[in-house]
Amino acid sequence: MLEAVASLLPKPSAEIERIRAVFEAQRANRWNLSRSTPAERIARLRKLREAIIQRRAQLAEAIHQDFRKPAVEVELTEIHPTLEELNHTVKHLKGWMKPKRVATPLTLKGASSHVRYEAKGVVLILSPWNYPFQLLVAPLIAAIAAGNAVMFKPSEKTPHTSRFLAQLARDVFPENEVAAFEGGADVAEALLQHPFDHFFFTGNPNIGRKVMAAATKYLSSVTLELGGKSPVIIDESANLVATAEALAWGKFVNAGQTCVAPDYIYVPASKQQAFLEAFKAVLTRFYGTTEAERQASPDFARVVDPAAWKRLKEVLDRTVAAGARVEAGGTADGPSRYISPTVLSGVTKAMPIMEGEIFGPVLPVLTYERREEVYAHINEGGKPLALYVFAQDSKVVEEVLQHTTSGGVVVNNVLIHVANPNLPFGGVGMSGLGNYHGHYGFKTFSHERAVMVQWMKSLASVFFPPYRGKTQEWASRATRMLE
């Protein structure tokens, strides 16, 4: 099936030539789009919304063909949050687009000041495979709302979804507004050669550096949504059953291939056994009692490709060889790209599973005696995209927030901050640069232009040369009084 889809993809040379032509067409059209009214932008977004709603079954089938993602997960993690983002943007866009009046200092009396939000121009969106629909369309919504022309490339690792997205773009937008480009690294490299006004990338830090280098060449702005090892801290006061349910869902949805998935857990040593028992009970309820039942479960996705499966299998084997214990799971089947929901105990921070982001259905559990040792471990690594705290003690929560940093934080749950369009979503340091969602996405794809209008003679004229005399002396004293 993958071979059949691949045969439909444009030939690299033709697609690269098309990139040049579309870029020029979008650049010629960018001023028309940037001057568009709220009503015109909302009409584009509503047209996109209707197309998504009409094709949701097609989308679910495409993603299922790519890595057997369950239809309910597609609805909950791909379609629903995207439609929520669309609805939120349509509702608030008119207000976002209005110039924002700001105060003017007394020394500049006679002038008024405001900020205008202008489209950046022609923007590029490079999206990943793990949430192939939501992580492309969410920034696309923001870019359209801000009045930009958009060129985007979905991941070649999910060819059925890539084909769906390309067709969706063709059916909803003319190419001089929004255009999709399918293909591999050669197409991405060709796109990066063009002087886009903004580069938006979601993926791993190695490719993120290449995107940033391309943006630097043109002094363009850039948003990088990367990842990292998102930690979980379980406090003594946590409800272990509720904690286990949230973590089992958040870790194993999408087969663990989530940029904000809980990457590893720190649990008090005295609570480890109780937590593991609660967690294993949840796994049985979610996916079945036996390994055979779990492998046959229609509710568990697959690893995206053989290379990713091999990487996960190797790091799992090396970690077990280093002394970790398999509390649940550990089964791996190469032909079906299956790795069972796996929980490891006896893990130390020196083991292979702790070296980099796992990005798969393997959950290491570490123990601690004092929270200070947890903070030290988290802070000596790269700043994570997300951090999760489970505690009923609000003082503990505040202490964690004071002693750590991360792109986002959720207390007593996981992942859900991504679905709130009123919160900025983005990383810090190695987990990303910039943010989006809701108003934050609109601002990411906009230039905030400062405008000051002089309506009457400016008081600043008293400072014009020559710099001497009574007027200058009085003006100097007056400004000092206002400091």
Side-chain angles (χ1 to χ4, degrees):
M1 180 62 75
L2 292 182
E3 290 78 5
V5 173
S7 68
L8 297 174
L9 296 177
K11 297 294 182 284
S13 58
E15 196 73 341
I16 289 169
E17 175 55 32
R18 181 172 153 257
I19 288 170
R20 185 198 61 76
V22 171
F23 181 83
E24 293 302 327
Q26 290 200 353
R27 190 151 64 171
N29 190 42
R30 61 92 74 206
W31 290 109
N32 294 326
L33 293 174
S34 68
R35 289 191 293 264
S36 58
T37 65
E40 289 170 330
R41 297 182 194 181
I42 287 169
R44 292 187 187 105
L45 292 172
R46 284 180 170 154
K47 188 176 180 183
L48 174 61
R49 181 182 185 275
E50 291 309 308
I52 293 169
I53 290 171
Q54 290 169 7
R55 304 173 196 211
R56 66 200 314 161
Q58 280 179 256
L59 173 59
E61 177 59 25
I63 299 178
H64 187 270
Q65 288 181 350
D66 282 330
F67 57 105
R68 228 186 86 166
K69 183 167 181 170
V72 173
E73 281 191 11
V74 174
E75 281 289 333
L76 290 176
T77 66
E78 302 270 11
I79 299 173
H80 177 73
T82 302
L83 292 176
E84 281 287 300
E85 186 82 16
L86 250 170
N87 294 338
H88 181 82
T89 301
V90 166
K91 180 179 179 180
H92 295 284
L93 182 57
K94 187 175 181 180
W96 295 345
M97 287 178 64
K98 287 180 180 177
K100 299 297 186 293
R101 184 83 176 262
V102 298
T104 302
L106 184 60
T107 50
L108 301 176
K109 188 172 175 60
S112 65
S113 308
H114 68 272
V115 177
R116 299 175 68 93
Y117 293 96
E118 300 182 340
K120 287 190 172 178
V122 183
V123 305
L124 174 65
I125 299 173
L126 299 175
S127 65
W129 54 264
N130 59 323
Y131 289 85
F133 178 75
Q134 194 262 340
L135 290 180
L136 190 147
V137 180
L140 175 64
I141 290 166
I144 293 169
N148 298 281
V150 185
M151 295 168 68
F152 71 76
K153 180 193 170 305
S155 172
E156 69 278 13
K157 289 190 175 187
T158 46
H160 297 89
T161 313
S162 177
R163 171 63 40 176
F164 173 91
L165 287 162
Q167 189 62 53
L168 181 72
R170 283 194 294 270
D171 292 346
V172 175
F173 304 103
E175 277 202 331
N176 66 351
E177 291 182 10
V178 176
F181 297 87
E182 297 179 86
D186 53 343
V187 174
E189 291 284 354
L191 285 163
L192 291 175
Q193 299 308 308
H194 289 75
F196 289 95
D197 298 289
H198 188 82
F199 293 74
F200 189 104
F201 170 76
T202 304
N204 72 65
N206 291 332
I207 306 300
R209 290 186 181 93
K210 293 183 179 181
V211 174
M212 194 164 189
T216 301
K217 197 162 56 174
Y218 304 110
L219 296 181
S220 301
S221 54
V222 60
T223 302
L224 302 177
E225 297 295 341
L226 306 176
K229 296 185 74 65
S230 296
V232 178
I233 302 173
I234 300 175
D235 180 55
E236 293 271 359
S237 65
N239 179 322
L240 293 184
V241 173
T243 299
E245 287 180 335
L247 289 172
W249 168 69
K251 180 60 181 181
F252 299 126
V253 70
N254 213 47
Q257 299 164 121
T258 303
C259 59
V260 289
D263 196 88
Y264 62 96
I265 292 173
Y266 265 111
V267 63
S270 63
K271 299 284 186 178
Q272 178 184 219
Q273 196 55 43
F275 170 74
L276 289 172
E277 292 304 320
F279 198 94
K280 286 186 277 189
V282 172
L283 281 185
T284 296
R285 182 152 48 90
F286 282 8
Y287 303 114
T289 303
T290 67
E291 282 298 312
E293 288 176 351
R294 293 174 187 182
Q295 190 165 358
S297 171
D299 301 320
F300 188 70
R302 294 297 182 262
V303 177
V304 70
D305 61 18
W309 180 89
K310 182 181 179 183
R311 176 188 64 81
L312 285 164
K313 177 71 165 62
E314 287 178 350
V315 75
L316 175 58
D317 289 346
R318 288 169 53 219
T319 302
V320 172
R325 293 183 298 279
V326 177
E327 295 285 347
T331 301
D333 178 66
S336 63
R337 307 194 311 276
Y338 172 78
I339 291 182
S340 61
T342 299
V343 184
L344 302 176
S345 66
V347 177
T348 68
K349 61 184 183 180
M351 288 182 176
I353 199 74
M354 297 299 293
E355 290 172 359
E357 186 177 7
I358 298 169
F359 225 69
V362 182
L363 183 61
V365 177
L366 297 84
T367 62
Y368 71 92
E369 299 290 346
R370 297 165 55 251
R371 282 192 298 275
E372 288 76 12
E373 61 194 81
V374 179
Y375 304 149
H377 175 217
I378 293 172
N379 293 333
E380 70 190 19
K383 298 172 183 177
L385 184 55
L387 185 147
Y388 303 113
V389 188
F390 287 84
Q392 297 301 313
D393 186 337
S394 60
K395 291 181 179 178
V396 171
V397 173
E398 182 59 30
E399 181 191 289
V400 172
L401 294 174
Q402 292 283 349
H403 286 80
T404 60
T405 185
S406 62
V409 176
V410 181
V411 178
N412 294 326
N413 212 329
V414 294
L415 311 190
I416 59 172
H417 62 304
V418 178
N420 185 351
N422 297 292
L423 285 174
F425 176 73
V428 57
M430 287 296 290
S431 61
L433 175 67
N435 53 47
Y436 70 118
H437 285 190
H439 192 206
Y440 302 96
F442 173 80
K443 291 175 72 174
T444 284
F445 287 100
S446 299
H447 166 58
E448 293 178 285
R449 190 178 191 183
V451 180
M452 201 164 184
V453 181
Q454 189 72 53
W455 296 110
M456 59 183 70
K457 183 177 175 64
S458 173
L459 290 179
S461 62
V462 300
F463 297 104
F464 294 169
Y467 299 125
R468 55 186 175 273
K470 291 289 185 183
T471 301
Q472 283 283 348
E473 183 181 341
W474 172 85
S476 295
R477 288 178 180 176
T479 54
R480 289 180 183 179
M481 290 174 63
L482 294 171
E483 288 174 354

